[in-house]
Amino acid sequence: MPAIIEPHDEFMGAVQQIILSSSETDYIDQLIPVMRDLRNSERAGHLIQALNQVSNDRQAEIERICNTNHQEFINSVNQLQHVRQGTVDLTAEIMSLSQSIEASTEKLAEQKRALVDSRGVRQNIDDATQALKDCLEVLRLANQVHDLLQEKNRYAALRALDELQNVHLREVTRYMIAGMIERSVPATQRLIAEAVMADLNTWLFRIRETSQFLGEVAFYHTEMRRTRHKMRFEENPDLANFKLNSAVEAVADESEEFDVLNNEEVQVDFSPLFEAIHIHDALGQSEKFRQDYSATRRRQKELLLPTSLDLLDEDAGELSTLLESIAGFAIVEKATMLKTENLRSSADVDELWDSMCQSAITLVSKSLPAIDNDERLLKIKGVIALFVQTMGSWGYSVDSLDKLLLTIFDKYAQLLKQRFSEDFQEIVSTDDYMPMPINNPDEYDKVINVSWYTPEKDREQQNFPCVLPFSQMYPLCCIDIRNFLNQIYLFSDDHFQNTGVIDDTLKSSLDDLLCHKVCQSLVERLSSQYPGQIVQILTNLDHFETACRELQDLLAEARSSSSAAGPIVLAATEEFTTAKKAAEKRIFELVNSKIDDLIETAEYDWSSTYEPSAASPYMQELTRYLSDVMSSVLLGLPVQIKELIYFDALAHISNAILALPLDPSIRRLSPQSVTAFRLDSEHLIEFVRSLDNPVLMEGLDELRQTVELMAVAKEGEGRAEEEFFDVEKGRKRFGKVDKMSGAELLEKVSQGVEAQKAAAVAQAASPVADKKSTMNFPAFASRFKKDKDAS
């Protein structure tokens, strides 16, 4: 059978858990779920019944335990009773002892009251003694403040006064002496501030007096840095690209330490300034002191600048003094800003610097127009450049001074240009326009070194005395050109930012000098009637053209601006080229004019029946003139130009000679006149052939072929016309002959031949007339030949 479960048994487990709870909170937590499950009063009764059963079980357990230990419990109770009896006895003894102590305490209290009374009297005495000591200490400190002030130990005096006011006076505030000293503190502080300001004003006055010498020392130090830097980049050319005050220069020169403010020459002690700053800071007057100091420095700056500046002295002494004073003043300002806090701001220092720079620039600009010497301007530039480099090392902006240097350079370039203009003009006007004689090797070397000229012979092969192709003006102008370049580039040796301006100014100035003062002056002299002078001018122009081309390369290599690139082209090069052409044309004109004069003396009798055996006198004179021109007048010209002139002269002669038989007034040409014309032409051709120059011979091809055509035509067989008008034959034999001119000459020669044949027929019909003609003509011809020989 299954076991019967009592109704309260289902709550026994929950009740056991509730009883085992460690705390009241856990007990409640365990009880709440059980109570939630009670749905009616019957189940609640079951829970109560379960709890009662547990309670009864525990009570029975307690009784069982108590029954087991009853005798031990009785023994413990007896022991507690004995202990309680002992405690009562001890309490009685303690009460007795307390009464005894109370009696002795009354006596001690009486003694203590007596002691307290004696101590109060003694404390009053001690207090009076201490008060007297405190007052004496205050008086001592007050006197010490005045002693320190007299000893000029003002900061210590101020600190002592502050200690007196904030420490010692507070200890004696209840005494009248404290009030008296308290009222004297402001007056004492004013005495200290006035004494400090007096020392500071003295220091500022000395600083103003020392500024010029301080600037001079700074300039000297910068000059020494320049020298060391120059020596370094001479040893290492790579350093030449780094200027003074650059990072590379600063690192290279850091071993040479030099304190401008503290050295063997000058010492600037900032102690008075520091003391004034500390004292005014302690007085709470820092802002007022800063404003007063700033106003004082502005007044000193105004006293530093003169009302006018004289730049006409040779050493630029006044300018040096002014810039040294400004430099010293600015160095002290920068050092003050670096050594102090909040006394001098960067804006204040820069404002004073800009003001001084603008004043100096104004003074210099007003005095510049009076300067008419470029060397003096170079010295002025050197002083300003030294000033710029010195102040650049202290971190000051020098942009406005760079603009001043640019203005000075413009003035410098104008003066240089004016001076060299006069030199060039004098050289050109006083030249003898003759090839330059050289007497010895020293003269030769000097001329070659300064001139852009490459001799045909080596130095060892040159014989002396000798003659150079150009006249004396060319090397003199070359010397001036080199001097002009050196003078211009001198301006860029020191600090000068606008190097591109130097290059542009140099190029434009050189162009102007060479074009207007040299080239134009030479062109003006081309109006001369002396061929030798014109030839010399042409030779000089050719060398000047070569010099310009060399200058272009030289300027491209030596230009200051590293950013510029590409070739440099001088306008003067083209000007000299054009002038050469004008000179060549002028020589052509003179030579051709003389040729025309000689050809005009030609007296051809185109209807003559006399056949000469030699060239005409005018042709002999003409070839003699050409020979003389070649060997004397044109001797100094370059070969190309000489050949060109000769070629043009021969072409002109050829054209002029060919024009003689083509004259419209001449209707026919006799065979004898053709022979005379051929003899003259062949004489000229042989002369040119003797020159052994195929190019010159080509210039006479038309004359030679035309004369040959006329010689063939005079035979009267019609062969000339057949060959000339045949395309293939004419091209081979008479290709240079003009078709129209050749046809006209063939017609005239043909008519001359026909006329002579007609005259021969008429003479055969009239023997008398023929006899007269035969008898008279030789005599006439002989006399004509004598007259021509005489001329």
Side-chain angles (χ1 to χ4, degrees), residues 400-616:
S400 58
L401 295 169
D402 287 338
K403 294 180 181 178
L404 175 62
L405 287 176
L406 186 59
T407 303
I408 295 176
F409 174 72
D410 290 338
K411 176 76 173 178
Y412 176 74
Q414 291 175 7
L415 291 178
L416 271 183
K417 185 178 176 181
Q418 180 180 354
R419 177 159 67 87
F420 280 94
S421 248
E422 295 172 355
D423 289 348
F424 279 125
Q425 192 168 359
E426 183 179 358
I427 290 171
V428 173
S429 61
T430 57
D431 191 53
D432 57 1
Y433 294 98
M434 295 291 290
M436 185 176 182
I438 300 296
N439 297 319
N440 52 62
D442 291 339
E443 292 182 8
Y444 180 82
D445 292 338
K446 290 178 182 179
V447 172
I448 297 301
N449 289 334
V450 300
S451 305
W452 286 280
Y453 171 64
T454 303
E456 296 179 357
K457 295 181 180 180
D458 293 338
R459 169 70 168 73
E460 294 76 11
Q461 298 176 351
Q462 187 66 53
N463 298 322
F464 298 97
C466 64
V467 176
L468 297 179
F470 43 77
S471 64
Q472 190 175 3
M473 68 163 290
Y474 176 68
L476 292 178
C477 287
C478 289
I479 292 173
D480 270 5
I481 291 172
R482 293 182 185 274
N483 289 337
F484 184 75
L485 292 176
N486 294 332
Q487 292 287 328
I488 288 290
Y489 281 127
L490 276 178
F491 210 91
S492 64
D493 283 350
D494 297 321
H495 176 84
F496 189 69
Q497 299 294 335
N498 302 282
T499 53
V501 176
I502 290 182
D503 299 328
D504 295 339
T505 303
L506 179 58
K507 178 180 177 298
S508 61
S509 299
L510 270 179
D511 265 337
D512 188 64
L513 289 172
L514 292 173
C515 291
H516 296 92
K517 300 302 176 182
V518 179
C519 185
Q520 187 173 347
S521 298
L522 291 176
V523 170
E524 290 174 355
R525 282 166 173 74
L526 292 178
S527 59
S528 172
Q529 298 297 323
Y530 300 100
Q533 185 175 2
I534 305 301
V535 168
Q536 189 60 58
I537 292 174
L538 176 57
T539 303
N540 291 348
L541 288 172
D542 182 67
H543 285 88
F544 274 116
E545 181 187 13
T546 302
C548 285
R549 299 188 188 279
E550 296 287 342
L551 269 176
Q552 290 175 168
D553 297 335
L554 179 62
L555 292 177
E557 294 175 1
R559 57 186 157 198
S560 306
S561 178
S562 59
S563 61
I568 292 179
V569 179
L570 291 173
T573 307
E574 184 64 26
E575 288 290 328
F576 281 114
T577 303
T578 306
K580 275 176 55 179
K581 293 179 181 178
E584 292 171 4
K585 183 179 179 182
R586 180 59 180 161
I587 294 175
F588 295 158
E589 291 176 356
L590 293 176
V591 172
N592 293 342
S593 175
K594 179 64 175 177
I595 290 172
D596 290 339
D597 292 341
L598 291 174
I599 292 178
E600 284 179 1
T601 63
E603 298 180 353
Y604 286 108
D605 183 4
W606 299 109
S607 60
S608 172
T609 58
Y610 172 73
E611 185 171 321
S613 59
S616 303

Side-chain angles (χ1 to χ4, degrees), residues 123 220 291 329 360 423 685:
Q123 183 65 38
Y220 176 77
Q291 294 175 357
F329 187 94
D423 289 348
I685 291 171

Side-chain angles (χ1 to χ4, degrees), residues 338-366:
L338 296 175
K339 292 176 180 291
T340 61
E341 295 182 2
N342 301 325
L343 176 62
R344 302 295 288 158
S345 67
S346 178
D348 294 336
V349 174
D350 290 340
E351 179 185 359
L352 281 181
W353 166 253
D354 292 338
S355 175
M356 290 188 293
C357 286
Q358 289 302 324
S359 299
I361 290 171
T362 302
L363 290 171
V364 173
S365 300
K366 288 182 178 178

Side-chain angles (χ1 to χ4, degrees), residues 630-685:
M630 178 66 79
S631 60
S632 60
V633 178
L634 305 181
L635 181 63
L637 286 177
V639 176
Q640 294 180 348
I641 297 177
K642 183 161 56 176
E643 288 182 353
L644 179 62
I645 294 175
Y646 222 61
F647 185 85
D648 181 80
L650 292 174
H652 182 73
I653 292 172
S654 176
N655 294 332
I657 293 177
L658 286 175
L660 293 176
L662 290 172
D663 191 331
S665 61
I666 300 173
R667 304 179 65 181
R668 62 178 63 89
L669 301 175
S670 68
Q672 291 77 11
S673 66
V674 171
T675 301
F677 185 74
R678 182 179 182 181
L679 286 174
D680 292 343
S681 299
E682 289 179 350
H683 180 80
L684 175 64
I685 291 171

Side-chain angles (χ1 to χ4, degrees), residues 203 207 211 214 218 259-261 268 270 273-274 293 297 325-354 356 390-398:
W203 179 78
I207 286 295
S211 293
L214 177 63
D259 188 356
V260 176
L261 297 168
V268 178
F270 286 86
L273 177 62
F274 296 152
Y293 183 84
R297 292 298 281 170
S325 300
I326 293 176
F329 187 94
I331 289 173
V332 170
E333 281 292 288
K334 185 69 74 170
T336 302
M337 184 183 73
L338 296 175
K339 292 176 180 291
T340 61
E341 295 182 2
N342 301 325
L343 176 62
R344 302 295 288 158
S345 67
S346 178
D348 294 336
V349 174
D350 290 340
E351 179 185 359
L352 281 181
W353 166 253
D354 292 338
M356 290 188 293
T390 301
M391 304 318 296
S393 64
W394 284 87
Y396 281 106
S397 172
V398 293

